Amino acid sequence: MSASRTLATLETRRYQAPQQDGEVLAVPDLPTAIQNAKQNAEQLAAEKIEIGSFPLSELRKRARSQVITKAVEWTNSIIGQNLACAECSHHASLLFVTGHQPQLAHPGVWAKNFAAAGMAQSSQGIGLNIIVDNDTVGKQSIRVPDGSRREPKNIDVSFDSELSQQPWEELQIRAPEVFNSFSDRVKEQMAQWDIDPLVSQMWPDAVASSQNNTSMVAALSAARMQQERRCGGGNLEIPLSEICKTDAFLIFVGHLLFNAERFHASYNSNVEAYRRENGIRNDRHPVPNLEQSGDAVEMPFWFWREGDSERGRVFVSRTEDNIKLLCRGKEILSATPETLLAELESLQVTGKLRTRALTTTLFARLCLADLFIHGIGGAKYDEMTDRLIADFFGIIPPHFLVLSATLHLPVDSFDVTESEVRELKAKLRDYQFNADRYLTDDLAGSLKAKKNELIREHWSAQTTNLPKRERVKNRFQNRNRHRELNAVNDSLFKLAKPQVDSLKRTLAEKELQLKANSVLRSREYSSVLFPVEAVSSLATELLEPAQVQA
């Protein structure tokens, strides 16, 4: 199928985060998603394209075998049990893949893992979570509600000492005393809201992991993975850094590098088309264009070596018989087309070549998954991934699933809505010019009568279609009448001052409550702050795909 025909089948999608406590967003619903996974598997197996001289179907078999083998080893090393069978996993009929950074995320992110496990269990497949450890670390803390119900605020509770940004892959636990006490400090903070947080049950697994391995990724993953199993779920797990070491991944990378100029052009044209269609003016949103430096074109990868303070962008310069990779202006690889794969393998020993956002999901969806599960943010990226698959590879993009959920902390929030505040503001504005609507005749009868008289005179004195001389003649009277009307409105407004003052007090109170609710009802709180029962209930629903309908 041609790229143009394939692109014509794509849709622009809009997703909105669930608003209600316990609400799940699944597009499509999970039973349909399972059917889509089967369709994806059949479609990708039948495609005739080649990637790095390998038929796509063969590269997918290779990638799945290598990644699942590594995932089994990594999963068992983290949970300390032999729970996954590599031989069985290789022959799973369907592979459901999701992924996220290893941070202590909100329940909407965690929901993807439970959905992957639920769909895998119901279809005799396998769930796989990719731990995106090539992204840079933000704060090593979580937001926790503090203050009072009426005036709540957020404070940060740290689980390690702060440091300059570096990839998660490199992050080690620097302050064990801070890490070990994290659960107690969170629990103490949440006690004021009468919440026994999940972190009390999860954190001992993180601390136990840190005794044998100071990797922050391993510790945080251990806590999450063990909790998923307590809830009846659990997937295979693998850091993205481990996937990047497989030769299936390097074959994929080599194909992009060998076709660098065409990929560079396709990437930029599709990102620009996405911006145009969505009215986005910021040329760095949702991702910046790939740049060009001389005869070298930028490719969507990161590179760094151990000890580097930050990641570097990767550029490719190639001739007919040579391919060079550059980072920060320095050559990091030089190869012929025949030696490229071997040189990439060597590069991964001396340095770290990693994907950026679009190339992560491009590899996962095309070469690995039968169904990829995105959150709302990731789904925006995958509209562009769809375009790249269609335009660069010339095939129909496989379906993906968009899934998220919302949990609210069980605190006593306020019964107020934004529409209620908007109505109060509109009523205040109406008082300014139409106070007579809210005043009795006893209080403002004469003023109301005067206003009605002026309005009648106004309409009877319309100058439309009158000769210019008549319009000029009436102009003075019209101006006087307008001033009289303003004076009457001002007098009416002063008479309504008690009602206006009461309305202002009500509005101020409602705005304060609305501001409080933005803290109390936030869906962005880390999952570890919620009661065990809340997370378990969400997990139970998602582990039964038939329950999650559109």
Side-chain angles (χ1 to χ4, degrees):
M1 178 172 289
S2 71
S4 59
R5 286 181 61 200
T6 308
L7 280 169
T9 68
L10 304 183
E11 299 177 4
T12 299
R13 312 169 184 95
R14 296 289 182 270
Y15 307 102
Q16 185 174 9
Q19 299 299 307
Q20 302 303 314
D21 185 32
E23 185 181 355
V24 173
L25 170 75
V27 183
D29 59 42
L30 298 195
T32 302
I34 294 173
Q35 294 305 312
N36 285 349
K38 296 175 181 177
Q39 181 181 333
N40 287 345
E42 294 171 0
Q43 172 202 329
L44 293 169
E47 294 290 357
K48 302 303 182 184
I49 65 167
E50 291 189 353
I51 296 179
S53 77
F54 284 84
L56 177 58
S57 58
E58 291 300 314
L59 183 60
R60 280 176 58 82
K61 290 177 184 177
R62 192 184 192 103
R64 288 157 73 102
S65 176
Q66 293 174 355
V67 169
I68 289 173
T69 296
K70 280 181 169 286
V72 168
E73 294 172 356
W74 199 86
T75 302
N76 286 333
S77 72
I78 296 299
I79 63 176
Q81 301 177 48
N82 193 28
L83 293 181
C85 168
E87 183 178 352
C88 297
S89 298
H90 286 178
H91 296 92
S93 58
L94 294 173
L95 181 60
F96 298 89
V97 181
T98 190
H100 201 73
Q101 297 86 352
Q103 64 205 44
L104 298 172
H106 65 79
V109 171
W110 205 357
K112 297 184 299 179
N113 297 56
F114 292 116
M119 289 188 291
Q121 291 171 8
S122 69
S123 63
Q124 291 75 56
I126 196 76
L128 175 69
N129 181 58
I130 299 173
I131 302 166
V132 184
D133 60 346
N134 61 328
D135 277 0
T136 53
V137 182
K139 285 187 173 183
Q140 297 202 69
S141 60
I142 63 170
R143 291 184 310 137
V144 180
D146 191 32
S148 64
R149 173 178 179 260
R150 184 172 170 78
E151 296 184 339
K153 61 182 180 179
N154 288 313
I155 62 170
D156 290 337
V157 177
S158 300
F159 52 85
D160 201 7
S161 58
E162 297 293 339
L163 75 169
S164 58
Q165 286 196 345
Q166 64 176 157
W168 280 96
E169 180 180 348
E170 305 294 338
L171 188 62
Q172 303 295 310
I173 297 171
R174 294 156 55 94
E177 68 284 357
V178 176
F179 188 83
N180 294 344
S181 66
F182 174 68
S183 175
D184 290 339
R185 288 180 285 118
V186 171
K187 187 174 182 179
E188 180 181 356
Q189 188 64 33
M190 294 305 290
Q192 65 177 303
W193 305 100
D194 294 323
I195 295 175
D196 184 11
L198 179 62
V199 71
S200 301
Q201 190 175 100
M202 288 178 63
W203 207 247
D205 294 313
V207 173
S209 173
S210 70
Q211 306 305 310
N212 304 313
N213 185 346
T214 59
S215 162
M216 182 65 78
V217 170
L220 297 183
S221 298
R224 175 182 52 76
M225 291 161 64
Q226 294 288 22
Q227 189 62 37
E228 287 173 11
R229 283 159 174 77
R230 281 191 282 268
C231 291
N235 302 298
L236 290 181
E237 302 266 346
I238 186 169
L240 182 58
S241 56
E242 291 296 317
I243 292 178
C244 291
K245 297 173 185 176
T246 64
D247 79 326
F249 172 77
L250 296 179
I251 290 167
F252 171 79
V253 172
H255 181 77
L256 299 189
L257 299 180
F258 189 79
N259 297 279
E261 289 187 359
R262 187 166 68 87
F263 185 83
H264 180 274
S266 177
Y267 185 104
N268 283 351
S269 66
N270 284 297
V271 169
E272 289 165 1
Y274 177 87
R275 290 195 198 108
R276 285 195 303 273
E277 293 173 12
N278 290 275
I280 298 170
R281 296 184 179 180
N282 185 338
D283 63 3
R284 302 192 67 79
H285 183 78
V287 292
N289 281 24
L290 297 176
E291 296 181 6
Q292 184 164 353
S293 177
D295 64 351
V297 295
E298 184 182 4
M299 294 293 279
F301 295 99
W302 297 114
F303 181 78
W304 72 91
R305 300 187 191 276
E306 189 170 345
D308 286 350
S309 59
E310 60 182 17
R311 306 172 299 180
R313 295 182 296 161
V314 174
F315 287 77
V316 180
S317 173
R318 66 156 303 183
T319 62
E320 185 175 341
D321 57 359
N322 183 260
I323 299 173
K324 291 182 180 179
L325 261 62
L326 308 168
C327 180
R328 301 187 184 95
K330 296 181 179 179
E331 182 180 302
I332 58 173
L333 177 148
S334 179
T336 66
E338 293 74 25
T339 64
L340 180 57
L341 181 58
E343 293 296 337
L344 285 171
E345 290 174 349
S346 298
L347 184 65
Q348 291 291 51
V349 174
T350 61
K352 302 182 181 186
L353 183 66
R354 302 292 185 257
T355 55
R356 279 153 67 171
L358 262 64
T359 33
T360 300
T361 54
L362 191 61
F363 176 77
R365 290 180 61 197
L366 202 57
C367 301
L368 190 60
D370 292 313
L371 185 76
F372 195 84
I373 306 168
H374 265 304
I376 294 172
K380 296 177 183 177
Y381 283 110
D382 252 18
E383 288 188 33
M384 288 173 290
T385 309
D386 275 357
R387 296 170 183 270
L388 270 173
I389 292 172
D391 186 35
F392 181 77
F393 292 99
I395 66 174
I396 297 175
H399 300 285
F400 60 87
L401 168 65
V402 179
L403 190 133
S404 189
T406 291
L407 289 183
H408 293 155
L409 290 171
V411 296
D412 187 16
S413 58
F414 293 94
D415 184 17
V416 61
T417 63
E418 290 184 2
S419 61
E420 187 178 351
V421 169
R422 284 195 299 270
E423 288 172 5
L424 286 170
K425 289 181 177 179
K427 191 172 182 179
L428 268 176
R429 286 194 298 273
D430 195 42
Y431 260 101
Q432 184 70 44
F433 301 103
N434 297 294
D436 50 299
R437 295 176 180 175
Y438 309 98
L439 295 170
T440 64
D441 289 341
D442 291 343
L443 185 62
S446 60
L447 286 171
K448 291 167 72 173
K450 180 62 175 177
K451 179 176 180 178
N452 290 334
E453 180 185 346
L454 289 169
I455 290 173
R456 283 193 299 271
E457 289 178 5
H458 166 77
W459 287 112
S460 64
Q462 290 297 299
T463 60
T464 306
N465 298 324
L466 289 178
K468 182 177 180 180
R469 181 180 298 177
E470 292 296 323
R471 292 200 304 271
V472 172
K473 180 181 176 182
N474 292 338
R475 189 175 297 162
F476 179 75
Q477 292 176 327
N478 290 342
R479 287 175 178 170
N480 280 342
R481 185 166 49 252
H482 182 70
R483 282 193 288 269
E484 280 189 76
L485 185 58
N486 284 341
V488 170
N489 277 332
D490 288 344
S491 298
L492 287 166
F493 186 70
K494 290 176 183 177
L495 284 177
K497 188 177 185 304
Q499 294 97 311
V500 169
D501 288 347
S502 175
L503 196 59
K504 286 180 177 179
R505 288 192 295 271
T506 300
L507 176 61
E509 178 64 20
K510 294 296 183 181
E511 287 181 322
L512 185 146
Q513 292 176 0
L514 200 61
K515 182 179 179 181
N517 279 356
S518 69
V519 176
L520 301 174
R521 291 183 182 173
S522 172
R523 68 183 299 270
E524 301 297 325
Y525 285 120
S526 169
S527 300
V528 303
L529 298 184
F530 291 82
V532 174
E533 298 77 17
V535 174
S536 297
S537 177
L538 177 63
T540 299
E541 178 181 358
L542 291 167
L543 289 167
E544 295 290 340
Q547 295 185 33
V548 185
Q549 301 291 332

